[in-house]
Amino acid sequence: MASSTSKIPLIYRFFFQTVEPLAAVSGAYLAHFKPNDYLEFTAPPSMLPKTAPISPLTQLLLSQIAGCYLLFALNLAIVLRCTSDLRCWRMILLGCLLSDLAHIYAAWEAMGTTVFWAVHTWRSEEWGNIGTLYLGAALRMAFLGGVGMTTASRHPSIRENGNGT
C-alpha cells in the first residue's frame, strides 16, 4: 500500500522537505557565523550600522535566531519525512505559515509601507529574503487549502497513515 506522502504532490515534498530546510540551515549559518552578512541580507540598508561591530547582545539574538532556523529545518526535513499523517503535515505547515506572517509583518514594519509594496525598488537581498518568504507562504497556503491534493487528503479529519487510523 502506498504511503500517504506519495499522495502529496512532488512540489510540496520537494520544497518543504528539501529546499526550505537547506535555506533555513543556510540562514542559521549566516546568523551565527556571519552576522554582518545576515543583517545585510535581512535588514534595509537604512537600519544597518556603517562601521559598528556586532554587539554581544546582537550576536546573542542572532545565535538564538539561528537555533530557531535549525528547529524549522529539522521539523521540515526530518519530521515531515518520518510521518505519513497528513494532520501532522498540516499542523507543522500551519505553524510555519504563522511564522511566515510574523516575518512578513516584521519586514513591512522595517521597510515601511511605501518600500514594502514597491517591489520594483527592492534590492536582490529583499527578493532573496521576502520574495522566497512569499513563495513558501503561498505554497503553505496552497497545501493547507488542499490545492493539488486528492479528495480524501483534503479533508482535515482524515488521518491517512496507511492503516485507516
Side-chain angles (χ1 to χ4, degrees):
M1 182 178 293
S3 77
S4 66
T5 54
S6 65
K7 295 178 184 174
I8 297 171
L10 179 61
I11 185 68
Y12 295 138
R13 286 184 282 128
F14 178 68
F15 190 80
F16 297 139
Q17 295 176 331
T18 305
V19 174
E20 276 202 314
L22 290 174
V25 168
S26 174
Y29 173 82
L30 287 173
H32 183 72
F33 294 108
K34 295 186 172 266
N36 287 316
D37 292 347
Y38 177 83
L39 290 173
E40 186 176 312
F41 186 71
T42 58
S46 62
M47 295 180 77
L48 298 174
K50 298 301 178 210
T51 58
I54 297 295
S55 72
L57 175 60
T58 300
Q59 183 61 60
L60 169 71
L61 295 172
L62 290 174
S63 293
Q64 290 175 343
I65 287 171
C68 290
Y69 282 163
L70 291 175
L71 175 63
F72 183 85
L74 292 172
N75 276 332
L76 293 173
I78 295 173
V79 176
L80 293 184
R81 280 188 173 87
C82 291
T83 185
S84 58
D85 184 344
L86 290 174
R87 285 176 38 193
C88 183
W89 271 67
R90 287 182 183 101
M91 292 302 102
I92 288 174
L93 294 179
L94 177 61
C96 291
L97 180 59
L98 294 174
S99 176
D100 291 340
L101 295 176
H103 191 148
I104 289 168
Y105 175 77
W108 168 76
E109 191 173 48
M111 295 170 76
T113 302
T114 304
V115 176
F116 184 80
W117 292 112
V119 296
H120 64 282
T121 66
W122 286 5
R123 305 171 301 148
S124 60
E125 291 86 355
E126 276 96 24
W127 279 105
N129 184 18
I130 301 166
T132 57
L133 176 68
Y134 274 125
L135 174 62
L139 283 172
R140 273 185 266 290
M141 287 187 282
F143 180 89
L144 293 169
V147 175
M149 305 295 283
T150 63
T151 303
S153 64
R154 285 184 186 187
H155 194 283
S157 66
I158 294 176
R159 186 172 172 177
E160 297 184 9
N161 63 8
N163 64 10
T165 59

